[in-house]
Amino acid sequence: MTENPTPENQPQNDASERMDIRTIARLANVSIATVSRTINRVPTVNTKMAKRVWDVIEKLDFVPNTQARALVSGRSKLFGLLVSEITNPFFPELIQGFEEIAVENGYEILISSTNHDPKRMSHCIRRMLERKVEGVAIMTFGIEEPLLDQLAKRKVPLVFIDVGPDRPGISVLKVDYHHGIRQAVQHLAALGHRKIAFVSGPMQLHSAQSRLAAYTRSMNECGIVPDPSWIVEGDHTLEGGAAAMEKLLAQENLATAVLCSNDMTAIGVLHKLYRTGKRVPDDISVIGFDDIHIAEVTMPPLTTIQMSRFEIAKAAFDALQSQVESPNALIGKREFNIKTELIVRESTSYPRGTMEHLRKK
Amino acid sequence: MTENPTPENQPQNDASERMDIRTIARLANVSIATVSRTINRVPTVNTKMAKRVWDVIEKLDFVPNTQARALVSGRSKLFGLLVSEITNPFFPELIQGFEEIAVENGYEILISSTNHDPKRMSHCIRRMLERKVEGVAIMTFGIEEPLLDQLAKRKVPLVFIDVGPDRPGISVLKVDYHHGIRQAVQHLAALGHRKIAFVSGPMQLHSAQSRLAAYTRSMNECGIVPDPSWIVEGDHTLEGGAAAMEKLLAQENLATAVLCSNDMTAIGVLHKLYRTGKRVPDDISVIGFDDIHIAEVTMPPLTTIQMSRFEIAKAAFDALQSQVESPNALIGKREFNIKTELIVRESTSYPRGTMEHLRKK
DNA sequence: CTGAAAGCGCTAACAA
DNA sequence: TTGTTAGCGCTTTCAG
């Protein structure tokens, strides 16, 4: 005999019943307003009633509907987070920090990876607007002005990394590229390098320009005028790094060290060098930028300039939060400075043919 | 004279006015229902009216409020995506694929990284429930049963990778670990290896057990009984891989090849080997699992077992979508099989002391 | 301190 | 085909 389980013999909790604040109110013998207050921990609620409410909520395993809450309160408790390349390990590390802080503060985040595609970026922003994000962190190191307007026009608080317009409601995290890059150049110069190449990021990115400028300035500070052939444009990817190194290798005036705009580039450079049979750091030194986790285990471990993801995530969140919570724009006008710092590992050494006596066998 | 810009001399678009469907309706001289229909592209709307509506929408740059839509329609158009470690490059690659497909299909995604912490996981699920996700993809390669119940009880469609209960509304992406792992073992065996070690993932993960089982089985197929000392537990991280290799190195019966449960582990293994002065693949061969992007540029480039992130993302999304769109549970009962495939690069070769004549200098 | 009632912005019957 | 109306689940005045 086929025994069809009928709706009747279901477990006690009748899940079929629609569950909302009203159900809770009825079962706890209070008004829906009281339930709402209880859930929102309004302090004036009578302890006894609150307990009654909580009991019912727990028993029914009730979960309030954020959408309804957001709709009536006007607070979505959502932040957008725009990154350029989620597959570049720098960003997941940043996302992790941002998410953690956001969640701690009762926010959810909508993540989008633009992959440098303006069309995608535009769609992302649109979707964020539809979801009524309360702010967005634009961690793309560069942005198309028109897209920004979409957000700014609606007075959505924004935080940029590195570059962004100076308007009320818009915060900018200023990265001190020069500090770390100068340390890197000086480290190299102290080792005896003069011919220091630079693999930049995509030059349409403001950050790429800033990093390049910091390099040039740092070189000058050491009394070196960089040969233009030492500067080659990469794109922040493994492949870009490898291609850049290939170009560098074809150069007449071969550099003895190469400073890279990010770690992925540096890893690409390392790989190309490996492919060409050059040894790092014996034949050539290389320095990265970011200090992503795997930089510790490249071969050799990468000397790099650290830029703290956590610090960035924290600053970005704080900027957004203060804009949102304080209607007063001035309070939000804090300065956010991100430091960079050289981490010396093993991809840098004396230039070939010098200091042989000092070199570790 | 200080000229304070008064509200009056603002641009034509009076942004101060609250903008909703009603505003559009008024300006387009139609009812709000028509506006709603127009936006939702209901085909019965008169073309003329539709145009009028669109014109106003465009002129005012109106963006509908998803929350309100979701509230009334009962469709949040949100999927949750739970990963275990966003900083493991495998996951960003998966997220990217999932996001892309989701967006194409009008869904947004809520991403959470659990970091293997059950408490975090519980919170994530709770938050997803509050946001009324229509489904969640649990890409953690293992899950605490109780948490799952929270979701299942509410009949939220779920898709698991690799392991999950066989219940209606729950799809499982079956990964064929054995195929790729057998290829790897056979590749090694063909090269002359007999002592093949295995660095597993965290053994509480089902996937770790499956991979280990596939290894054992594949070894047996080659007529090899694995020495228990060849099997050591890792944790899918760089550090875990390094630690595992260290243990392996201390073993009496030293393996000549090591198969790793994922690429991060393999990179850790590579690094430890490098630190101990062993050469890969001359002294020891290593194989990874996942084929993350950087596996191409390790030194040497990593032989690894590919598991397509895109394929997984696609299958996961499809599973969820079909559960959601078709009330009929049976239609959703498709089988999802994920293949794995060996990619031979340069981290594998003959065991030391054999085939010297064949070895590339 | 608690409850009743008025919406938040939108969709979906149902009428017209 | 278009408009009217009743809510979706919740917060928030405003009385009591």
Side-chain angles (χ1 to χ4, degrees), chain A residues 61 108 154 275 346, chain B residues 61 108 127 154 275 346:
Chain A
D61 204 4
E108 207 69 45
R154 291 188 170 69
R275 279 291 183 231
E346 303 164 37
Chain B
D61 205 5
E108 207 69 43
R127 282 157 33 216
R154 292 191 170 69
R275 279 291 183 231
E346 303 164 35

Side-chain angles (χ1 to χ4, degrees), chain A residues 279 299 346, chain B residues 245 249 254 268-284 352:
Chain A
R279 305 186 62 87
M299 289 168 203
E346 303 164 37
Chain B
M245 192 63 234
L249 251 13
L254 186 56
V269 162
L270 247 28
H271 187 247
K272 171 59 71 183
L273 254 12
Y274 165 80
R275 279 291 183 231
T276 12
K278 304 262 183 213
R279 305 186 62 86
V280 176
D282 299 355
D283 295 324
I284 191 163
R352 182 143 214 66

Side-chain angles (χ1 to χ4, degrees), chain B residues 212-228:
Chain B
L212 175 55
Y215 154 82
T216 310
R217 182 169 152 207
S218 302
M219 289 291 274
N220 291 339
E221 286 169 0
C222 291
I224 311 172
V225 179
D227 184 316

Side-chain angles (χ1 to χ4, degrees), chain A residues 2 19 21 28 91 94 107 110 123 135 139 147 150 177 186 192 223 225 233 255 258 269 330 352 356:
Chain A
T2 320
M19 253 216 317
I21 218 181
F91 291 107
L94 184 128
Y107 281 83
L110 241 34
H123 283 152
M139 305 280 110
L147 300 180
Q150 270 193 65
Y177 293 117
Q186 290 189 352
V225 179
E233 184 173 352
V258 16
V269 162
L330 291 182
R352 181 142 216 71
E356 292 300 335

